[in-house]
Amino acid sequence: MTDPLPQGATIGILGGGQLGRMLSVAASRLGLRCHVFEPGAEPPAGHVADAVTTAGYDDTAALEAFAASVDVITYEFENIPTEALDVLQALRPIRPGREALRVSQDRLTEKTFLTDLGLRTAPFADITDAASLKQALEVIGAPAILKTRRFGYDGKGQARISSPDEAETALAEMNGAPAILEGFVEFSCEVSVIAARSADGSVACFDPGENIHREGILRTTTVPARLSASQRTDAVLLAAQILNALNYVGVMGVELFVTPQGLLVNEIAPRVHNSGHWTQNGCTIDQFEQHIRAVANWPLGDGSRYADVQMENLIGDDLDKLPELAKESDVAIHLYGKAAVKPGRKMGHVNRIIRG
Amino acid sequence: MTDPLPQGATIGILGGGQLGRMLSVAASRLGLRCHVFEPGAEPPAGHVADAVTTAGYDDTAALEAFAASVDVITYEFENIPTEALDVLQALRPIRPGREALRVSQDRLTEKTFLTDLGLRTAPFADITDAASLKQALEVIGAPAILKTRRFGYDGKGQARISSPDEAETALAEMNGAPAILEGFVEFSCEVSVIAARSADGSVACFDPGENIHREGILRTTTVPARLSASQRTDAVLLAAQILNALNYVGVMGVELFVTPQGLLVNEIAPRVHNSGHWTQNGCTIDQFEQHIRAVANWPLGDGSRYADVQMENLIGDDLDKLPELAKESDVAIHLYGKAAVKPGRKMGHVNRIIRG
């Protein structure tokens, strides 16, 4: 076990979006600095970072200079090119480690990993061509969703198949990318466990939150979720099992379906997660600080919940609601500093304290 | 009334210490950026600011370039040279305004302003030489404290006079600077009101906190303070009176002595204040965001208190307690990223949630 990162040490963050932005703010509370690596111009995380490198993930010299300037590397998104990780890993520790990225970068690998652990997922099948899709539809049935194995987020790279005659069109939408067919699951609700694990193997989970999606994008997370005591325990134990199996260091988002037959794992994200934003106003230590603590070899903090909270994403022109939201009681605003409003773009979120 | 600052606008902050650091973090939540102006190298606020100018307050070109790059200017300390303010004010609004700075930069002007408002302070007298000091001591009595009128903080520029024969030594310690003699006041406790006023004249006060000082430096602030309901109301009304009289925009710290004869004003600070740090973990909107909201023409936020909190400063080698503090429940750590530990230097603070 290495020592905790000292005052003034620097954490490198791959990705400069809102998650990197809020990670950098959390790091500052612990006296740590952040250096953000981001290909796009004007990254939101750059406004509150000590340093920003604007370069592509294929720019080996920039990656090497970035790694040399930091003490440890973490990331705000899972789709980091393998070649970039190879360059960085030779120079500095990457937390969470490569195994979590390998597993979560590919939907098929992820689902196989989960079922190998004895956990349950929606039915799925590897799709390589029209024949395997036809066969999978016979087993899984329609409706089902065809998804690219890699690089999907917020509902992108997905095609719904309502009946077998839509299979061909859906497959064409994958543009030849390796794909996975997932069956639908009847669930009463979707919940997330935001779980953290430190290098010494300690695990701490935030109270599960209940998620509502619309058009493939998370809209609200509410805590407490409508779960029985035993479901709550199951959810937390299941998340801990995943983190332990990966020898994970950091925060992970684990999305679960609540079904009459028990909890199914929908998806895991090896990073802080949108469904954990409520922790900023519901806990003494939020998910961002918890992640920084784990990555910096600090002890995990006290993530116990002191308030009921509803997190609501501000998407696209939801930002027009800002003047009203700013006047409301019990509403904490968290904006991402993105200049351009686009439909479907996450511009910020609010955490609403729910009084009993 | 001008419009609220839009997403991506920039607030200029004079001073790059821990207060500027926490202001910049608060600004990021509202989608705003900060540009820090600070003569010293490696300012703590720079780790979380969008831009930093390292230049002296006599560097007119640097001040002009700074002003040109921001939408509005605020500050984290009151002792800004008048000449620098003149340069800046010609280019951008400064909030809080000049009158608050003029009053609070000089202990004599401040005390006169307060008594002119009908508020009570400790007895005081203008000291220009040995004769005026002798006369003042006859009226006020010993023990008393001789203080420089300007540039004092954390107990610096002060000399205690326990009996009249110490007058000469105390006066010598002022190095010829204009001074003020202040009498001691018997008080049961010292409390702070952190008050905010927006450009439209709305005032919002946080719940008063009770302060403990040691060696002239704030050690702890505890909320709720031990005040009766009427003392609490008096404290808040008195603070509001001060802000209104100054046509103030922003957050002000108002330190009060609680005495058997009522509340006396100890001192005012036209900025966010150490005794308001508890708001970070006791309120939905903390003092830093409240200040940014006022300065940026946003509506003031909901500063109602949801928890009992004790803020404790980490001074000098208090930082050695960090490994233990990091493991404690209900403790939120806020460090300032200062590389060098020095005796008496504020390195950070913790907010401890007090469970009922």
Side-chain angles (χ1 to χ4, degrees):
Chain A
M1 179 78 188
T2 43
D3 283 339
L5 278 191
Q7 294 299 287
T10 301
I11 295 174
I13 302 177
L14 301 172
Q18 61 267 22
L19 300 181
R21 178 179 174 99
M22 293 183 280
L23 284 170
S24 188
V25 162
S28 79
R29 288 199 296 268
L30 304 183
L32 304 170
R33 310 179 192 203
C34 289
H35 183 160
V36 167
F37 189 102
E38 164 65 47
E42 284 285 326
H47 303 168
V48 285
D50 191 47
V52 179
T53 295
T54 305
Y57 288 107
D58 55 355
D59 184 338
T60 303
L63 289 168
E64 287 173 348
F66 167 76
S69 78
V70 304
D71 296 285
V72 59
I73 295 167
T74 188
Y75 42 86
E76 59 141 32
F77 75 117
E78 54 272 38
N79 292 319
I80 304 154
T82 300
E83 297 72 20
L85 293 168
D86 290 339
V87 172
L88 296 168
Q89 193 172 25
L91 296 165
R92 288 293 181 276
I94 299 177
R95 298 183 192 130
R98 292 290 293 272
E99 180 63 1
L101 283 168
R102 188 187 69 80
V103 164
S104 62
Q105 282 183 346
D106 183 311
R107 292 180 196 279
L108 183 65
T109 313
E110 180 179 310
K111 286 237 172 1
T112 307
F113 160 77
L114 292 167
T115 51
D116 285 353
L117 271 184
L119 304 175
R120 290 195 300 163
T121 68
F124 65 95
D126 183 15
I127 304 301
T128 51
D129 54 19
S132 56
L133 178 54
K134 180 167 184 293
Q135 193 184 1
L137 276 169
E138 279 161 16
V139 177
I140 293 172
I145 296 195
L146 190 63
K147 299 178 176 178
T148 55
R149 283 174 53 178
R150 297 173 65 95
F151 304 118
Y153 69 97
D154 285 350
K156 287 170 195 170
Q158 305 193 1
R160 187 189 165 100
I161 300 178
S162 299
S163 69
D165 58 4
E166 292 173 14
E168 200 181 338
T169 316
L171 194 59
E173 280 185 43
M174 300 296 109
N175 288 315
I180 178 175
L181 186 73
E182 293 181 14
F184 275 93
V185 171
E186 280 213 31
F187 58 89
S188 55
C189 66
E190 190 211 285
V191 300
S192 284
V193 179
I194 307 298
R197 187 171 178 276
S198 61
D200 68 2
S202 308
V203 173
C205 295
F206 293 100
D207 206 3
E210 182 171 337
N211 303 327
I212 305 285
H213 289 83
R214 210 163 59 230
E215 293 156 17
I217 303 179
L218 182 69
R219 298 292 157 148
T220 63
T221 300
T222 307
V223 281
R226 289 169 297 167
L227 292 175
S228 66
S230 68
Q231 284 172 326
R232 205 174 296 270
T233 307
D234 282 353
V236 164
L237 289 177
L238 181 162
Q241 188 186 352
I242 294 172
L243 272 68
N244 283 332
L246 292 168
N247 197 23
Y248 194 82
V249 176
V251 159
M252 174 181 278
V254 179
E255 290 183 6
L256 302 170
F257 293 132
V258 181
T259 79
Q261 294 76 40
L263 300 172
L264 264 61
V265 184
N266 177 29
E267 138 179 325
I268 64 175
R271 52 172 170 77
V272 287
H273 196 260
N274 195 166
S275 65
H277 291 358
W278 67 268
T279 59
Q280 293 173 310
N281 298 94
C283 305
T284 305
I285 307 299
D286 69 17
Q287 68 161 348
F288 301 100
E289 180 171 333
Q290 203 69 298
H291 185 76
I292 295 291
R293 281 174 172 246
V295 164
N297 267 322
W298 279 50
L300 296 180
D302 176 9
S304 59
R305 186 169 64 79
Y306 59 68
D308 294 358
V309 184
Q310 183 170 73
M311 188 287 304
E312 183 182 354
N313 274 333
L314 300 177
I315 295 167
D317 56 19
D318 283 350
L319 216 53
D320 296 343
K321 296 190 277 187
L322 208 49
E324 288 311 308
L325 289 169
K327 285 183 223 157
E328 269 187 65
S329 291
D330 288 333
V331 167
I333 294 173
H334 299 267
L335 300 177
Y336 307 152
K338 297 180 183 175
V341 177
K342 292 178 196 167
R345 191 177 201 199
K346 291 176 178 170
M347 306 302 295
H349 66 274
V350 295
N351 287 328
R352 210 178 292 267
I353 311 297
I354 307 165
R355 302 279 170 184
Chain B
M1 179 78 188
T2 44
D3 282 338
L5 279 192
Q7 294 298 286
T10 300
I11 295 174
I13 302 177
L14 301 172
Q18 62 265 22
L19 301 180
R21 178 180 174 99
M22 294 183 280
L23 284 170
S24 188
V25 162
S28 80
R29 289 199 294 268
L30 304 183
L32 304 170
R33 310 179 193 204
C34 289
H35 183 161
V36 167
F37 189 100
E38 163 66 45
E42 284 284 326
H47 304 167
V48 285
D50 191 46
V52 179
T53 294
T54 305
Y57 287 109
D58 55 354
D59 185 337
T60 304
L63 288 167
E64 287 173 348
F66 168 76
S69 77
V70 304
D71 296 284
V72 60
I73 294 168
T74 190
Y75 42 87
E76 59 140 34
F77 74 118
E78 52 272 39
N79 293 319
I80 305 154
T82 299
E83 298 73 18
L85 293 168
D86 290 339
V87 173
L88 296 169
Q89 193 172 25
L91 297 165
R92 289 290 182 276
I94 299 177
R95 300 187 191 127
R98 292 290 291 274
E99 180 64 1
L101 283 168
R102 189 187 68 79
V103 164
S104 62
Q105 281 182 346
D106 184 311
R107 292 181 195 279
L108 183 66
T109 314
E110 181 178 310
K111 287 241 174 354
T112 308
F113 161 77
L114 293 167
T115 51
D116 285 353
L117 270 184
L119 303 175
R120 291 195 300 163
T121 67
F124 64 95
D126 183 13
I127 304 301
T128 49
D129 53 19
S132 56
L133 178 55
K134 182 167 182 290
Q135 193 183 4
L137 275 170
E138 280 161 15
V139 178
I140 293 172
I145 297 195
L146 190 63
K147 299 178 176 178
T148 55
R149 283 173 55 176
R150 296 173 66 93
F151 303 120
Y153 68 97
D154 285 351
K156 289 171 194 171
Q158 305 194 1
R160 187 189 165 100
I161 301 178
S162 299
S163 70
D165 59 3
E166 293 174 13
E168 199 180 337
T169 317
L171 194 58
E173 280 186 43
M174 301 295 109
N175 289 313
I180 177 174
L181 186 74
E182 293 181 14
F184 275 92
V185 170
E186 280 211 33
F187 57 88
S188 55
C189 65
E190 190 211 286
V191 300
S192 285
V193 179
I194 306 299
R197 188 172 178 275
S198 61
D200 68 2
S202 308
V203 173
C205 295
F206 292 99
D207 207 2
E210 182 171 337
N211 303 328
I212 306 284
H213 288 83
R214 210 163 59 229
E215 293 155 17
I217 303 178
L218 182 69
R219 299 293 158 149
T220 63
T221 301
T222 306
V223 281
R226 288 169 298 166
L227 292 175
S228 67
S230 68
Q231 284 173 326
R232 205 173 298 271
T233 307
D234 283 352
V236 163
L237 289 176
L238 181 161
Q241 190 186 349
I242 295 172
L243 273 68
N244 283 334
L246 293 168
N247 197 22
Y248 194 82
V249 177
V251 160
M252 173 181 278
V254 179
E255 288 184 6
L256 303 170
F257 292 132
V258 181
T259 79
Q261 293 76 41
L263 299 172
L264 264 60
V265 184
N266 177 29
E267 117 180 345
I268 63 174
R271 52 170 168 79
V272 288
H273 197 259
N274 194 167
S275 64
H277 291 359
W278 68 269
T279 59
Q280 294 174 309
N281 297 94
C283 304
T284 306
I285 307 299
D286 68 18
Q287 68 162 346
F288 301 99
E289 181 171 333
Q290 203 70 298
H291 185 77
I292 295 290
R293 280 174 173 247
V295 165
N297 267 323
W298 280 50
L300 297 180
D302 175 11
S304 59
R305 186 168 64 79
Y306 58 68
D308 294 359
V309 184
Q310 182 171 72
M311 186 288 304
E312 182 183 354
N313 273 334
L314 301 177
I315 295 170
D317 56 18
D318 284 351
L319 215 54
D320 296 343
K321 296 189 277 187
L322 207 50
E324 288 312 308
L325 289 168
K327 285 183 222 155
E328 269 188 64
S329 291
D330 287 332
V331 167
I333 294 173
H334 299 267
L335 300 177
Y336 305 152
K338 297 179 183 175
V341 177
K342 292 179 198 167
R345 190 175 202 199
K346 291 176 178 169
M347 306 302 295
H349 66 274
V350 296
N351 287 328
R352 211 179 291 267
I353 311 297
I354 306 166
R355 301 280 170 183

